[in-house]
Structures are given as C-alpha cells and as structure tokens.
Amino acid sequence: MYLVQSRHRPAARGITGLSEAVVDLSAVRDNVRTFRRRVGQNVMAVVKADAFGHGAVPVARAAVEAGAGWLGVAHADEALQLRAAGLRVPILCWLYDVSELVFLGDVEVDVSVSSVAELQRVVSTPSVHYVHLKLDTGLHRAGSAPDHWIELTRTAAHYEALGAVTVRGIWSHLSHGDSADAVQSTRQLQLLRTGVGLARRAGLRPDVVHLANSSGAVTLDAPDTDLMRIGAGLYGIDELGIGLRPAMRLVSKVAQVRRIRAGEGVSYGHDFVADRDTTVALVPMGYADGIPRVAAGRASVQCRGVRMPVAGRIAMDQFVVDAGDVAVEPGEPVTLFGDGSAGEPTAADWADWAGTIPHEIYCGIGNRVPRRYEEQR
Ligand SMILES: *Cc1c(COP(=O)(O)O)cnc(C)c1O
C-alpha cells in the first residue's frame, strides 16, 4: 500500500514514472522517539515547506503517531492543509498575513504574536483563541524587542482578562541552533526565562514555553521549557550525530546508455571530455527536480552498486554519468541519495557538493518528483 502524491498535480495513480522520492515514515517515527527519549520533552514536529519536501500530511501523521504533541508550520496554508487532512493536535503558525487570521481561527490554529499591533489584529479576529508571544532573544528576526516585552505581556494579560484571547505559549528561536556550542543558546535561554518571569508578573500563565530547534534540544539544558520544535531532526538531518535515520531516498532509472570514444565531450559546453572510451548513462533528473546544477564536477550517483560520477553539466531535466565499463542497461535503478548504508551518496553529500545544507537539498526536490511512502520497519 502506498500513496503517490505530487504537490501541484493530482496523483497519477499507478504510474511511478522514472524518478521518485521514497519517504520511509518509520524513520520519521524513530527520529521523534529518539528526541523524546534523549530530551524527555514534548515534540512540536515542524512540517513547514511541505515537511522539508517530504510531504507535510504523511510526515505529520507519522510524527503524531510517534508521540509528537504539536505541529509547527511557517505559513497559514500549511496549517490549513494539516487541519483539512484531519490532524487534530495543536498547531502553531508563525508567518501569516492578517487576511489569513480568520481562516486560522476557524480551524483552531495557534498564532505567533510579536508586537502589540499584531496582538490587536488577532483580538479583532474573534475566531482566533490561542497565541504564543514571541520574544526576540538574539536572532533579531521576528519577536518582540526586549524593550517592548513588558508592554506586550501587559496588553496580552488585559485582553486575556476580557476573554478576547488566551496566551497559550511563550517562545523564542535560537540564532546558533545548528551549533554544538551552547554559549549563545544559553544566553538566549536566560533572556527567555526573564521574559517568562515578566509575563507571569503581568498575570499570564502560559501552558508551554519553547525555545530549542533540533540541535538546540540536544545541546541546551532547559528543563523549564516544555516543547522542542523539531524540524531537521525529523527528516534525519543529524547535525550532532545522535543516531537519526534519513527518511528520504531519491531514486531514478537510467533512461539511455551510450558508448563514447576518448576525446568526445558530454552535455552542454562539453565540460566533460572522455579521457578513454567509456559508457555514459543518462539520468532523467535535473535542476528543475532540485538536482543542484552547481554540484556538477563533484557529484556522483550509485548504479549497480557502483559510484558513477556526473559527467558534464546538469541540465534542467537530465544529466549524464560516466559508467566506465560497467554494463549498464536502460531502466536500471539509480540512487541519487539515500541513508548511505549501501555506499550510496547521502543528501549531506549533495549538500557538500553544492556548498549548501541538506535542508536546502530536501526542500528543493521539485514538484514533478512523486513522493512515495513506505515503512522499512
Ligand atoms: C524551521 C524552524 C524550526 C526547526 O528547526 P530545525 O533546526 O530544523 O529543527 C524551529 N523553529 C522555527 C521557528 C523554525 O522556523
């Protein structure tokens, strides 16, 4: 049993095509459990950007099955998609337009609030009940400046007393959350604690206080927070090596095979020129599918258990690999990345080859690559 889902097209039932991103939902469940066991806090599964390209609804369901008590998204339509799919746990949305508030309120989505002006817009949307006040503790992106925090918490307490809104959470976001060095994170935690103290003095009694992302949850000792917002870690991006399992495998099939002679060039501009007679195999994925064009010259794929380097430029829909003298046939499976256990590249390898982070590789996998869901265990 599996589901083929493409974000902008209806699923072409029964047609798998040449390429697919196979998502192992048991890895998502294991990763949630790894965080819960290690940190002992409730998990907000961050499924923004279509769960980093893995598919928001199936990932959210798997995370909730494994005990995640909250879901987190950036955009309003992401929250609405989860509710429409029947997910009932609390959802926090942190980047929305005023015009979207009424829809969020209608399906009981919590919203982040960083200023009195934002709070007033929420209060004038009667359907919105729950807000999380956000304090800027050093990222200097969203959040209330510390100078405005007392005014914000007092105003919120005033509206709470009127029954206009409930402050369910107080939160902040780390600036060095991807680092094992907890100095800056600890400073931010101290500021958040002060902020929570001031909020209490204003009369607020938030259910949840949350600060850490995936890596922050591991590095930061914050027993007085209640939730960790886990994004990268859900998908097996293992920044601190805590034994997470990558959930996505990107596979394709060899579309064509050709023998070329020494001295012949391959793909646009002939960046690759064969130094010997060799076999080249066409892989039908390109930068429109999220294969980073800049990775040419370093990247390789796995076919027949052998690493084959990308030969020449990566085009929009296809690229070529140098198969050497391996007897590749059209239709043979090609692994672009997986968990690395069979010697195939990982998303982290592609990130290195492209000078980026695996998050961007996963999020970039294009809409025309169907997602298929499976359970390894
Ligand atoms: C994306 C995001 C997260 C998740 O961070 P990871 O490092 O991917 O775990 C948490 N909180 C906020 C506000 C985010 O935008």
Side-chain angles (χ1 to χ4, degrees):
M1 279 281 292
Y2 62 81
L3 162 75
V4 175
Q5 169 199 302
S6 189
R7 275 171 288 174
H8 292 230
R9 296 180 305 171
R13 253 180 277 282
I15 299 176
T16 35
L18 292 163
S19 308
E20 56 184 12
V22 185
V23 177
D24 175 5
L25 294 173
S26 74
V28 172
R29 284 193 205 90
D30 281 355
N31 295 336
V32 169
R33 293 190 190 109
T34 298
F35 277 95
R36 292 187 65 210
R37 215 176 323 126
R38 196 175 165 115
V39 187
Q41 284 185 359
N42 200 349
V43 168
M44 177 187 288
V46 177
V47 294
K48 63 189 179 187
D50 205 25
F52 291 38
H54 292 63
V57 169
V59 167
R61 285 197 184 117
V64 169
E65 280 161 21
W70 283 76
L71 295 169
V73 292
H75 289 183
D77 62 342
E78 299 175 323
L80 301 183
Q81 186 196 7
L82 297 172
R83 282 287 184 254
L87 284 144
R88 299 259 57 94
V89 298
I91 300 175
L92 174 63
C93 172
W94 51 77
L95 277 176
Y96 52 87
D97 184 71
V98 194
S99 65
E100 297 170 313
L101 273 171
V102 60
F103 302 106
L104 291 172
D106 283 348
V107 294
E108 284 187 41
V109 170
D110 294 25
V111 299
S112 176
V113 164
S114 295
S115 68
V116 169
E118 281 181 24
L119 182 63
Q120 280 162 343
R121 279 180 226 123
V122 167
V123 168
S124 50
T125 311
S127 63
V128 180
H129 295 296
Y130 293 115
V131 301
H132 295 227
L133 300 184
K134 184 170 193 185
L135 175 63
D136 177 15
T137 55
L139 179 59
H140 299 147
R141 212 168 62 177
S144 163
D147 293 357
H148 297 141
W149 182 248
I150 291 181
E151 187 198 0
L152 176 59
T153 53
R154 284 191 182 154
T155 311
H158 165 76
Y159 284 126
E160 239 189 30
L162 294 174
V165 79
T166 298
V167 176
R168 173 133 72 165
I170 291 184
W171 74 301
S172 189
H173 192 38
L174 296 172
S175 59
H176 293 59
D178 59 346
S179 142
D181 176 6
V183 173
Q184 172 67 16
S185 300
T186 304
R187 203 173 292 146
Q188 288 186 257
L189 175 61
Q190 299 297 0
L191 249 176
L192 183 63
R193 282 178 176 148
T194 305
V196 171
L198 289 168
R200 291 188 165 282
R201 210 171 300 165
L204 298 175
R205 297 290 176 267
D207 286 346
V208 289
V209 172
H210 49 107
L211 173 63
N213 65 330
S214 299
S215 295
V218 176
T219 54
L220 206 56
D221 184 24
D224 50 345
T225 63
D226 307 283
L227 276 181
M228 40 188 173
R229 299 187 307 275
I230 306 300
L234 275 188
Y235 313 105
I237 300 172
D238 201 351
E239 287 159 328
L240 302 176
I242 61 166
L244 302 172
R245 295 175 54 208
M248 186 191 286
R249 198 168 80 237
L250 185 63
V251 295
S252 187
K253 287 179 191 165
V254 171
Q256 282 182 37
V257 176
R258 287 212 42 188
R259 191 76 187 161
I260 61 167
R261 291 179 188 283
E264 289 187 312
V266 170
S267 192
Y268 295 129
H270 285 184
D271 285 3
F272 172 90
V273 176
D275 59 6
R276 65 206 185 302
D277 292 2
T278 192
T279 297
V280 289
L282 184 67
V283 179
M285 299 192 86
Y287 58 78
D289 305 299
I291 311 307
R293 187 174 176 276
V294 71
R298 287 180 290 273
S300 62
V301 303
Q302 192 189 47
C303 179
R304 286 214 172 183
V306 178
R307 282 289 190 105
M308 298 180 181
V310 173
R313 287 189 205 160
I314 293 169
M316 186 182 291
D317 317 302
Q318 48 193 298
F319 64 89
V320 171
V321 296
D322 183 359
D325 291 325
V326 181
V328 205
E329 308 261 353
E332 279 194 70
V334 175
T335 302
L336 284 87
F337 62 74
D339 66 9
S341 61
E344 76 277 24
T346 61
D349 291 330
W350 278 94
D352 282 345
W353 295 329
T356 183
I357 52 176
H359 313 51
E360 191 177 347
I361 300 294
Y362 288 129
C363 291
I365 303 303
N367 292 329
R368 66 183 181 179
V369 181
R371 271 62 170 173
R372 180 162 66 84
Y373 297 93
E374 66 171 28
E375 307 281 341
Q376 286 268 308
R377 47 165 110 131

